[in-house]
Coordinates of all heavy atoms in Angstrom, one line a residue:
M3 N 0.9 -1.2 0.0 CA 0.0 0.0 0.0 C 0.8 1.2 0.0 O 0.5 2.1 -0.7 CB -0.9 0.0 1.2 CG -2.3 -0.4 1.1 SD -3.2 0.5 -0.2 CE -4.7 -0.3 0.0
A4 N 1.9 1.3 0.9 CA 2.8 2.5 0.9 C 3.5 2.7 -0.4 O 3.7 3.9 -0.7 CB 3.7 2.3 2.0
D5 N 3.8 1.7 -1.1 CA 4.5 1.8 -2.4 C 3.5 2.5 -3.4 O 4.0 3.1 -4.3 CB 5.0 0.4 -2.9 CG 6.1 -0.1 -2.0 OD1 6.8 0.7 -1.4 OD2 6.2 -1.3 -2.0
D6 N 2.3 2.2 -3.3 CA 1.3 2.9 -4.2 C 1.4 4.4 -4.2 O 1.3 5.0 -5.2 CB -0.1 2.4 -4.0 CG -0.4 0.9 -4.2 OD1 0.5 0.3 -5.0 OD2 -1.4 0.4 -3.7
A7 N 1.5 5.0 -3.0 CA 1.7 6.4 -2.9 C 2.9 7.0 -3.6 O 2.8 8.0 -4.2 CB 1.6 6.8 -1.4
S8 N 4.0 6.3 -3.4 CA 5.2 6.7 -4.0 C 5.2 6.5 -5.6 O 5.9 7.1 -6.3 CB 6.5 6.1 -3.4 OG 6.4 4.8 -3.5
A9 N 4.4 5.4 -6.0 CA 4.4 5.1 -7.3 C 3.5 6.1 -8.2 O 3.6 6.3 -9.4 CB 3.8 3.8 -7.6
H10 N 2.7 7.0 -7.4 CA 1.9 7.9 -8.1 C 2.0 9.3 -7.4 O 1.1 9.8 -6.8 CB 0.3 7.5 -7.9 CG 0.1 6.2 -8.5 ND1 0.0 6.0 -9.9 CD2 -0.2 5.0 -8.0 CE1 -0.3 4.8 -10.2 NE2 -0.4 4.1 -9.1
P11 N 3.2 9.9 -7.5 CA 3.5 11.2 -6.8 C 2.7 12.2 -7.4 O 2.4 13.3 -6.7 CB 5.0 11.3 -7.0 CG 5.3 10.6 -8.3 CD 4.4 9.4 -8.3
D12 N 2.2 12.1 -8.6 CA 1.4 13.2 -9.2 C 0.0 13.3 -8.6 O -0.7 14.3 -8.8 CB 1.3 13.0 -10.7 CG 0.7 11.7 -11.1 OD1 1.0 10.7 -10.4 OD2 -0.1 11.6 -12.1
V13 N -0.5 12.2 -7.9 CA -1.8 12.3 -7.3 C -1.9 13.2 -6.1 O -2.8 14.0 -6.1 CB -2.2 10.8 -6.9 CG1 -3.6 10.8 -6.2 CG2 -2.2 9.9 -8.1
L14 N -1.1 13.1 -5.2 CA -1.0 14.0 -4.0 C 0.4 14.3 -3.8 O 1.3 13.5 -3.9 CB -1.5 13.3 -2.8 CG -3.0 12.9 -2.7 CD1 -3.3 12.0 -1.5 CD2 -3.9 14.1 -2.8
N15 N 0.6 15.7 -3.5 CA 2.0 16.1 -3.2 C 2.4 15.5 -1.8 O 1.6 15.0 -1.1 CB 2.1 17.6 -3.2 CG 1.3 18.3 -2.1 OD1 1.2 17.8 -1.0 ND2 0.8 19.4 -2.4
Q16 N 3.6 15.6 -1.4 CA 4.2 15.0 -0.2 C 3.5 15.4 1.0 O 3.2 14.7 1.9 CB 5.7 15.1 -0.1 CG 6.3 14.3 0.9 CD 7.9 14.4 0.8 OE1 8.4 15.0 0.0 NE2 8.5 13.7 1.8
A17 N 3.2 16.7 1.1 CA 2.5 17.3 2.2 C 1.1 16.7 2.4 O 0.7 16.3 3.5 CB 2.4 18.9 2.2
A18 N 0.4 16.6 1.3 CA -1.0 16.0 1.3 C -1.0 14.6 1.8 O -1.8 14.1 2.3 CB -1.7 16.3 0.0
Q19 N 0.1 13.8 1.2 CA 0.2 12.5 1.5 C 0.4 12.3 3.0 O -0.2 11.5 3.6 CB 1.4 11.9 0.8 CG 1.1 11.6 -0.7 CD 2.3 11.1 -1.5 OE1 3.3 10.7 -0.9 NE2 2.3 11.1 -2.8
G20 N 1.3 13.1 3.6 CA 1.6 13.1 5.0 C 0.3 13.3 5.8 O -0.1 12.7 6.8
Q21 N -0.5 14.4 5.4 CA -1.7 14.7 6.0 C -2.7 13.6 6.0 O -3.4 13.2 7.0 CB -2.3 16.0 5.4 CG -3.5 16.6 6.2 CD -4.0 17.9 5.6 OE1 -3.8 18.1 4.4 NE2 -4.7 18.6 6.4
L22 N -2.8 13.0 4.8 CA -3.7 11.9 4.6 C -3.4 10.7 5.6 O -4.3 10.1 6.1 CB -3.8 11.4 3.2 CG -4.7 10.3 2.8 CD1 -6.2 10.6 3.1 CD2 -4.6 10.0 1.3
K23 N -2.1 10.4 5.5 CA -1.7 9.3 6.5 C -2.0 9.6 7.9 O -2.4 8.7 8.6 CB -0.2 9.1 6.2 CG 0.3 7.9 7.1 CD 1.8 7.6 6.8 CE 2.3 6.5 7.6 NZ 3.7 6.3 7.4
S24 N -1.8 10.8 8.3 CA -2.0 11.2 9.7 C -3.5 11.1 10.0 O -3.8 10.7 11.1 CB -1.6 12.6 9.9 OG -1.9 13.1 11.2
I25 N -4.4 11.5 9.1 CA -5.8 11.4 9.3 C -6.3 10.0 9.4 O -7.0 9.6 10.3 CB -6.5 12.1 8.2 CG1 -6.4 13.6 8.3 CG2 -8.0 11.8 8.1 CD1 -6.8 14.4 7.1
I26 N -5.7 9.1 8.5 CA -6.1 7.7 8.6 C -5.6 7.0 9.8 O -6.4 6.3 10.5 CB -5.5 7.0 7.3 CG1 -6.3 7.5 6.0 CG2 -5.6 5.5 7.5 CD1 -5.7 7.0 4.8
E27 N -4.4 7.4 10.3 CA -3.9 6.8 11.6 C -4.7 7.3 12.8 O -5.1 6.5 13.7 CB -2.4 7.2 11.7 CG -1.5 6.5 10.8 CD -0.1 6.9 10.8 OE1 0.2 8.0 11.4 OE2 0.7 6.3 10.2
R28 N -5.2 8.5 12.8 CA -6.1 9.0 13.8 C -7.4 8.3 13.8 O -7.9 7.9 14.9 CB -6.3 10.5 13.7 CG -5.1 11.4 14.1 CD -5.2 12.9 13.8 NE -6.5 13.4 14.1 CZ -7.1 14.5 13.5 NH1 -6.4 15.1 12.6 NH2 -8.1 15.0 13.9
I29 N -7.9 8.1 12.7 CA -9.2 7.4 12.6 C -9.0 5.9 13.1 O -9.9 5.4 13.8 CB -9.7 7.3 11.1 CG1 -10.2 8.8 10.7 CG2 -10.8 6.4 10.9 CD1 -10.5 8.9 9.2
E30 N -8.0 5.3 12.7 CA -7.7 4.0 13.2 C -7.5 3.9 14.7 O -8.1 3.0 15.4 CB -6.4 3.4 12.5 CG -6.6 3.1 11.1 CD -5.3 2.8 10.3 OE1 -4.2 3.1 10.8 OE2 -5.4 2.2 9.2
R31 N -6.9 4.9 15.3 CA -6.7 4.9 16.8 C -8.1 5.1 17.4 O -8.4 4.5 18.4 CB -5.8 6.0 17.2 CG -4.3 5.7 17.1 CD -3.4 6.7 17.8 NE -3.7 8.1 17.4 CZ -3.1 8.7 16.3 NH1 -2.2 8.0 15.5 NH2 -3.3 10.0 16.1
L32 N -8.9 6.0 16.8 CA -10.2 6.2 17.4 C -11.1 4.9 17.3 O -12.0 4.6 18.1 CB -10.9 7.4 16.8 CG -10.3 8.8 17.0 CD1 -10.8 9.8 16.2 CD2 -10.5 9.1 18.5
E33 N -11.0 4.2 16.2 CA -11.8 3.0 16.1 C -11.4 2.0 17.1 O -12.2 1.3 17.6 CB -11.5 2.4 14.6 CG -12.2 3.2 13.5 CD -13.7 3.0 13.5 OE1 -14.3 2.1 14.1 OE2 -14.3 3.9 12.8
V34 N -10.1 1.9 17.5 CA -9.7 1.0 18.5 C -10.3 1.5 19.9 O -10.8 0.7 20.6 CB -8.1 1.0 18.7 CG1 -7.6 0.4 19.9 CG2 -7.6 0.3 17.4
E35 N -10.2 2.8 20.1 CA -10.8 3.3 21.3 C -12.3 3.0 21.4 O -12.9 2.7 22.5 CB -10.6 4.8 21.5 CG -9.1 5.2 21.7 CD -8.8 6.7 21.8 OE1 -9.8 7.5 22.0 OE2 -7.7 7.1 21.4
K36 N -12.9 3.2 20.3 CA -14.4 3.0 20.2 C -14.7 1.5 20.6 O -15.7 1.3 21.3 CB -14.9 3.3 18.8 CG -16.5 3.2 18.6 CD -17.0 3.7 17.4 CE -16.6 2.9 16.2 NZ -17.3 3.3 14.9
A37 N -13.9 0.6 20.1 CA -14.1 -0.8 20.4 C -13.9 -1.1 21.9 O -14.7 -1.8 22.5 CB -13.2 -1.7 19.5
E38 N -13.0 -0.4 22.5 CA -12.7 -0.5 23.9 C -13.8 0.0 24.7 O -14.2 -0.6 25.7 CB -11.3 0.2 24.2 CG -10.2 -0.5 23.7 CD -8.8 0.3 23.8 OE1 -8.9 1.4 24.2 OE2 -7.7 -0.3 23.5
V39 N -14.3 1.1 24.3 CA -15.5 1.7 25.1 C -16.7 0.8 24.9 O -17.5 0.6 25.8 CB -15.8 3.2 24.5 CG1 -17.1 3.7 25.2 CG2 -14.7 4.1 25.0
A40 N -16.9 0.3 23.7 CA -18.1 -0.6 23.5 C -18.0 -1.9 24.4 O -19.0 -2.2 25.0 CB -18.2 -1.1 22.1
E41 N -16.8 -2.4 24.7 CA -16.5 -3.5 25.5 C -16.8 -3.2 27.0 O -17.5 -3.9 27.7 CB -15.1 -4.0 25.3 CG -14.8 -5.3 26.2 CD -15.7 -6.5 25.8 OE1 -16.1 -6.6 24.6 OE2 -16.0 -7.3 26.7
Q42 N -16.4 -2.0 27.3 CA -16.7 -1.5 28.7 C -18.2 -1.3 29.0 O -18.7 -1.6 30.0 CB -16.0 -0.1 29.0 CG -14.4 -0.3 29.0 CD -13.7 1.0 29.0 OE1 -14.4 2.1 29.1 NE2 -12.5 1.0 29.1
I43 N -18.9 -0.8 28.0 CA -20.3 -0.6 28.1 C -21.0 -2.0 28.2 O -21.8 -2.2 29.1 CB -20.9 0.2 27.0 CG1 -20.4 1.6 27.0 CG2 -22.5 0.1 26.9 CD1 -20.8 2.5 25.7
K44 N -20.6 -2.9 27.5 CA -21.0 -4.3 27.5 C -20.8 -4.9 28.9 O -21.7 -5.5 29.5 CB -20.3 -5.2 26.4 CG -20.8 -6.6 26.4 CD -20.0 -7.3 25.3 CE -20.4 -8.8 25.3 NZ -19.5 -9.5 24.3
E45 N -19.7 -4.6 29.6 CA -19.3 -5.1 30.8 C -20.3 -4.5 31.9 O -20.8 -5.2 32.8 CB -17.9 -4.9 31.2 CG -17.0 -5.7 30.4 CD -15.5 -5.3 30.5 OE1 -15.2 -4.4 31.4 OE2 -14.6 -5.9 29.9
V46 N -20.5 -3.2 31.7 CA -21.5 -2.4 32.7 C -22.9 -3.1 32.7 O -23.5 -3.3 33.6 CB -21.5 -1.0 32.4 CG1 -22.5 -0.2 33.3 CG2 -20.1 -0.4 32.7
F47 N -23.4 -3.3 31.4 CA -24.7 -4.0 31.3 C -24.7 -5.4 31.8 O -25.7 -5.7 32.5 CB -25.1 -4.0 29.8 CG -25.7 -2.7 29.3 CD1 -25.0 -1.9 28.3 CD2 -26.8 -2.2 29.8 CE1 -25.6 -0.8 27.8 CE2 -27.4 -0.9 29.3 CZ -26.8 -0.2 28.3
A48 N -23.6 -6.1 31.7 CA -23.5 -7.4 32.2 C -23.5 -7.3 33.8 O -24.3 -8.1 34.5 CB -22.2 -8.2 31.8
E49 N -22.9 -6.3 34.3 CA -22.9 -6.1 35.7 C -24.3 -5.7 36.3 O -24.8 -6.3 37.3 CB -22.0 -5.0 36.2 CG -21.9 -4.6 37.6 CD -20.9 -3.4 37.9 OE1 -20.1 -3.1 37.1 OE2 -21.2 -2.8 38.9
A50 N -25.0 -4.9 35.5 CA -26.3 -4.4 35.9 C -27.3 -5.7 35.9 O -28.0 -5.9 36.8 CB -26.8 -3.4 34.9
K51 N -27.1 -6.5 34.8 CA -27.9 -7.8 34.8 C -27.7 -8.7 36.0 O -28.6 -9.2 36.5 CB -27.6 -8.4 33.4 CG -28.5 -9.7 33.2 CD -28.3 -10.3 31.9 CE -29.2 -11.5 31.7 NZ -29.0 -12.1 30.3
G52 N -26.4 -8.8 36.3 CA -26.0 -9.6 37.4 C -26.6 -9.1 38.7 O -26.8 -9.8 39.7
N53 N -26.8 -7.8 38.8 CA -27.4 -7.2 40.0 C -29.0 -7.1 39.9 O -29.7 -6.5 40.7 CB -26.9 -5.7 40.2 CG -25.5 -5.7 40.6 OD1 -25.1 -6.6 41.4 ND2 -24.7 -4.8 40.2
G54 N -29.6 -7.8 38.8 CA -31.0 -7.9 38.8 C -31.8 -6.9 37.9 O -33.0 -6.9 38.0
F55 N -31.0 -6.0 37.3 CA -31.6 -5.0 36.6 C -32.0 -5.5 35.1 O -31.3 -6.4 34.5 CB -30.8 -3.7 36.4 CG -30.6 -3.0 37.7 CD1 -29.4 -3.1 38.4 CD2 -31.6 -2.2 38.2 CE1 -29.2 -2.5 39.6 CE2 -31.4 -1.5 39.4 CZ -30.3 -1.6 40.1
D56 N -33.1 -5.0 34.6 CA -33.5 -5.4 33.2 C -32.7 -4.6 32.2 O -32.8 -3.4 32.0 CB -34.9 -5.1 33.1 CG -35.5 -5.7 31.8 OD1 -34.9 -5.5 30.7 OD2 -36.7 -6.2 31.8
V57 N -31.8 -5.3 31.5 CA -30.9 -4.6 30.5 C -31.7 -3.9 29.5 O -31.3 -2.8 29.0 CB -29.9 -5.6 30.0 CG1 -29.0 -5.0 28.9 CG2 -28.9 -6.0 31.1
K58 N -32.7 -4.6 28.9 CA -33.5 -4.0 27.9 C -34.1 -2.6 28.3 O -34.1 -1.6 27.5 CB -34.6 -4.9 27.4 CG -35.5 -4.5 26.3 CD -36.5 -5.5 25.9 CE -37.4 -5.1 24.8 NZ -38.4 -6.1 24.5
I59 N -34.6 -2.5 29.5 CA -35.1 -1.3 30.0 C -34.0 -0.3 30.2 O -34.2 0.9 30.0 CB -35.9 -1.6 31.4 CG1 -37.0 -2.6 31.1 CG2 -36.4 -0.3 31.9 CD1 -38.1 -2.1 30.0
L60 N -32.9 -0.8 30.7 CA -31.7 0.2 30.9 C -31.4 0.9 29.6 O -31.1 2.0 29.5 CB -30.6 -0.5 31.5 CG -30.6 -0.9 33.0 CD1 -29.5 -1.7 33.4 CD2 -30.8 0.3 33.8
R61 N -31.3 0.1 28.6 CA -31.0 0.6 27.2 C -32.0 1.7 26.8 O -31.7 2.7 26.2 CB -30.9 -0.5 26.2 CG -29.7 -1.4 26.4 CD -29.6 -2.4 25.2 NE -28.5 -3.4 25.5 CZ -27.3 -3.2 25.4 NH1 -26.8 -2.1 24.9 NH2 -26.4 -4.2 25.6
K62 N -33.3 1.4 27.1 CA -34.3 2.3 26.7 C -34.1 3.7 27.6 O -34.3 4.7 27.0 CB -35.7 1.8 27.0 CG -36.2 0.8 26.0 CD -37.7 0.3 26.3 CE -38.2 -0.5 25.2 NZ -39.6 -0.8 25.3
V63 N -33.9 3.5 28.8 CA -33.6 4.7 29.7 C -32.5 5.5 29.1 O -32.6 6.8 29.0 CB -33.3 4.3 31.2 CG1 -32.9 5.4 32.0 CG2 -34.6 3.7 31.8
V64 N -31.4 4.9 28.7 CA -30.2 5.5 28.2 C -30.6 6.3 26.9 O -30.3 7.4 26.7 CB -29.1 4.6 28.0 CG1 -27.9 5.3 27.1 CG2 -28.5 4.1 29.3
R65 N -31.4 5.6 26.0 CA -31.8 6.2 24.8 C -32.7 7.4 25.0 O -32.6 8.5 24.4 CB -32.6 5.2 23.9 CG -32.9 5.7 22.5 CD -33.6 4.7 21.6 NE -35.0 4.6 22.2 CZ -35.7 3.6 22.7 NH1 -35.1 2.4 22.7 NH2 -36.9 3.7 23.0
I66 N -33.6 7.3 26.0 CA -34.5 8.4 26.3 C -33.8 9.6 26.9 O -34.1 10.8 26.5 CB -35.6 7.9 27.3 CG1 -36.6 7.0 26.6 CG2 -36.3 9.0 27.9 CD1 -37.6 6.2 27.5
R67 N -32.9 9.3 27.7 CA -32.0 10.4 28.4 C -31.3 11.2 27.3 O -30.9 12.4 27.6 CB -31.2 9.9 29.5 CG -32.0 9.6 30.7 CD -31.2 8.9 31.8 NE -29.9 9.6 32.1 CZ -29.7 10.4 33.1 NH1 -30.7 10.6 34.0 NH2 -28.6 10.9 33.4
K68 N -31.0 10.6 26.2 CA -30.3 11.3 25.1 C -31.1 12.3 24.4 O -30.5 13.2 23.8 CB -29.6 10.3 24.1 CG -28.5 9.5 24.6 CD -28.1 8.6 23.5 CE -27.0 7.6 23.9 NZ -26.6 6.7 22.9
Q69 N -32.5 12.0 24.5 CA -33.3 12.9 23.7 C -33.5 14.3 24.4 O -33.4 14.4 25.6 CB -34.6 12.2 23.6 CG -34.7 11.0 22.7 CD -36.1 10.3 22.7 OE1 -36.8 10.6 23.6 NE2 -36.3 9.6 21.6
D70 N -33.8 15.2 23.6 CA -34.3 16.5 24.1 C -35.6 16.3 24.9 O -36.5 15.6 24.4 CB -34.4 17.5 22.9 CG -35.0 18.8 23.4 OD1 -34.2 19.6 24.1 OD2 -36.1 19.2 23.2
R71 N -35.7 16.9 26.1 CA -36.8 16.7 26.9 C -38.1 17.2 26.3 O -39.1 16.5 26.3 CB -36.7 17.4 28.3 CG -37.7 17.2 29.2 CD -37.4 17.9 30.6 NE -38.6 17.9 31.5 CZ -39.0 16.8 32.2 NH1 -38.4 15.6 32.0 NH2 -40.0 16.8 33.0
A72 N -38.1 18.3 25.6 CA -39.3 18.9 25.0 C -39.8 18.0 23.9 O -41.0 17.7 23.7 CB -39.1 20.3 24.6
K73 N -38.9 17.6 23.1 CA -39.1 16.6 22.0 C -39.7 15.3 22.5 O -40.6 14.8 21.9 CB -37.8 16.4 21.1 CG -38.0 15.6 19.9 CD -37.5 16.2 18.6 CE -37.7 15.2 17.5 NZ -38.8 15.3 16.8
R74 N -39.1 14.8 23.5 CA -39.5 13.5 24.1 C -41.0 13.7 24.6 O -41.9 12.9 24.4 CB -38.6 13.1 25.2 CG -39.0 11.7 25.7 CD -38.0 11.3 26.8 NE -38.3 11.9 28.0 CZ -37.4 12.6 28.8 NH1 -36.2 12.7 28.4 NH2 -37.7 13.1 29.9
L75 N -41.3 14.7 25.3 CA -42.6 15.0 25.9 C -43.6 15.1 24.7 O -44.8 14.6 24.8 CB -42.7 16.3 26.7 CG -41.9 16.1 28.0 CD1 -41.8 17.5 28.7 CD2 -42.5 15.0 28.9
E76 N -43.2 15.8 23.6 CA -44.1 15.9 22.4 C -44.4 14.6 21.8 O -45.5 14.3 21.5 CB -43.4 16.9 21.4 CG -44.3 17.0 20.1 CD -43.5 17.9 19.1 OE1 -42.6 18.5 19.4 OE2 -44.0 17.9 17.9
E77 N -43.4 13.7 21.6 CA -43.5 12.4 21.1 C -44.4 11.5 22.0 O -45.2 10.8 21.5 CB -42.1 11.7 20.9 CG -41.4 12.3 19.7 CD -40.0 11.7 19.6 OE1 -39.7 10.8 20.3 OE2 -39.3 12.2 18.6
D78 N -44.2 11.7 23.4 CA -45.0 10.9 24.3 C -46.5 11.3 24.1 O -47.4 10.4 24.2 CB -44.5 11.1 25.7 CG -43.2 10.4 26.0 OD1 -42.9 9.6 25.2 OD2 -42.5 10.7 27.0
A79 N -46.7 12.6 24.0 CA -48.1 13.1 23.9 C -48.8 12.5 22.6 O -49.8 12.0 22.6 CB -48.2 14.6 23.9
I80 N -48.0 12.5 21.5 CA -48.5 12.0 20.2 C -48.8 10.5 20.4 O -49.8 10.0 19.9 CB -47.6 12.4 19.1 CG1 -47.6 13.9 18.8 CG2 -48.0 11.6 17.8 CD1 -46.5 14.4 17.8
L81 N -47.8 9.8 21.0 CA -48.0 8.3 21.2 C -49.2 8.1 22.0 O -50.0 7.2 21.6 CB -46.7 7.8 21.8 CG -46.7 6.3 22.2 CD1 -46.9 5.4 20.9 CD2 -45.6 6.0 23.0
D82 N -49.5 8.8 23.0 CA -50.6 8.6 23.8 C -51.9 8.9 23.1 O -52.9 8.1 23.2 CB -50.6 9.6 25.1 CG -49.6 9.1 26.1 OD1 -49.2 7.9 26.1 OD2 -49.3 9.9 27.1
L83 N -51.8 9.9 22.2 CA -53.0 10.3 21.3 C -53.3 9.0 20.4 O -54.5 8.7 20.3 CB -52.7 11.5 20.6 CG -53.8 11.9 19.5 CD1 -55.1 12.4 20.2 CD2 -53.2 13.0 18.6
Y84 N -52.3 8.6 19.7 CA -52.5 7.5 18.8 C -53.0 6.3 19.6 O -53.9 5.6 19.0 CB -51.2 7.1 18.1 CG -50.8 8.2 17.0 CD1 -51.5 9.4 16.9 CD2 -49.7 8.1 16.3 CE1 -51.1 10.3 15.9 CE2 -49.3 8.9 15.2 CZ -50.0 10.1 15.1 OH -49.6 11.0 14.2
L85 N -52.4 5.9 20.7 CA -52.8 4.7 21.4 C -54.2 4.9 21.9 O -55.0 3.9 21.7 CB -51.9 4.4 22.6 CG -50.5 4.0 22.2 CD1 -49.6 3.8 23.5 CD2 -50.6 2.5 21.5
S86 N -54.6 6.0 22.3 CA -56.0 6.4 22.7 C -57.0 6.2 21.6 O -58.0 5.6 21.7 CB -56.1 7.7 23.3 OG -57.4 8.0 23.7
A87 N -56.5 6.6 20.4 CA -57.4 6.5 19.2 C -57.7 5.1 18.7 O -58.8 4.9 18.2 CB -56.8 7.4 18.0
I88 N -56.8 4.2 19.0 CA -57.0 2.9 18.6 C -57.5 2.0 19.9 O -57.6 0.8 19.7 CB -55.8 2.2 18.0 CG1 -54.6 2.2 18.9 CG2 -55.4 3.0 16.7 CD1 -53.4 1.3 18.4
G89 N -57.8 2.7 21.0 CA -58.4 1.9 22.1 C -57.4 1.1 22.9 O -57.8 0.2 23.7
E90 N -56.1 1.4 22.8 CA -55.1 0.8 23.6 C -54.8 1.3 25.0 O -54.4 0.6 25.9 CB -53.8 0.7 22.8 CG -53.8 -0.1 21.5 CD -53.9 -1.5 21.8 OE1 -53.4 -2.1 22.8 OE2 -54.7 -2.2 21.0
I91 N -55.3 2.5 25.2 CA -55.2 3.1 26.6 C -56.4 3.8 26.9 O -57.3 4.2 26.1 CB -53.9 4.1 26.7 CG1 -54.1 5.3 25.9 CG2 -52.7 3.4 26.6 CD1 -53.0 6.3 26.0

């Protein structure tokens, strides 16, 4: 792969090649960090499950807390309206 860049020097100048390599290396490091964080999250959910918490509900709570409160309340109101309209509540 590295030989390809030197075989086509007209594609990118040396400074651009260096910048591109740096960007790719940063992305690769971040991908490794992302995998490590995902593993840590998995471990926390396993711990929660071991302590008797419902992991499916915990995931919902996390998802809900990410939402804007006003938007969430609006969606909840519409959901209640729709459920009421079809006789579910």
Side-chain angles (χ1 to χ4, degrees):
M3 259 306 177
D5 292 335
D6 290 344
S8 59
H10 301 287
D12 56 322
V13 176
L14 294 174
N15 66 34
Q16 191 169 359
Q19 288 176 10
Q21 186 180 25
L22 179 60
K23 183 177 179 184
S24 174
I25 289 169
I26 291 170
E27 289 170 349
R28 286 172 44 205
I29 292 169
E30 290 170 342
R31 281 193 305 273
L32 290 169
E33 289 289 341
V34 169
E35 290 176 26
K36 182 170 73 170
E38 291 169 354
V39 169
E41 182 61 31
Q42 291 172 359
I43 291 170
K44 182 179 172 183
E45 291 171 3
V46 171
F47 279 118
E49 178 184 339
K51 184 176 182 177
N53 288 326
F55 293 102
D56 186 318
V57 172
K58 183 176 177 182
I59 301 303
L60 286 175
R61 290 184 189 281
K62 283 186 177 188
V63 169
V64 170
R65 188 182 75 241
I66 287 169
R67 286 173 49 101
K68 286 181 184 178
Q69 294 176 333
D70 175 69
R71 183 174 173 78
K73 178 131 178 89
R74 185 177 78 234
L75 292 173
E76 179 184 348
E77 288 177 4
D78 288 346
I80 294 170
L81 177 62
D82 287 346
L83 174 68
Y84 288 6
L85 289 173
S86 178
I88 61 171
E90 291 295 320
I91 59 171

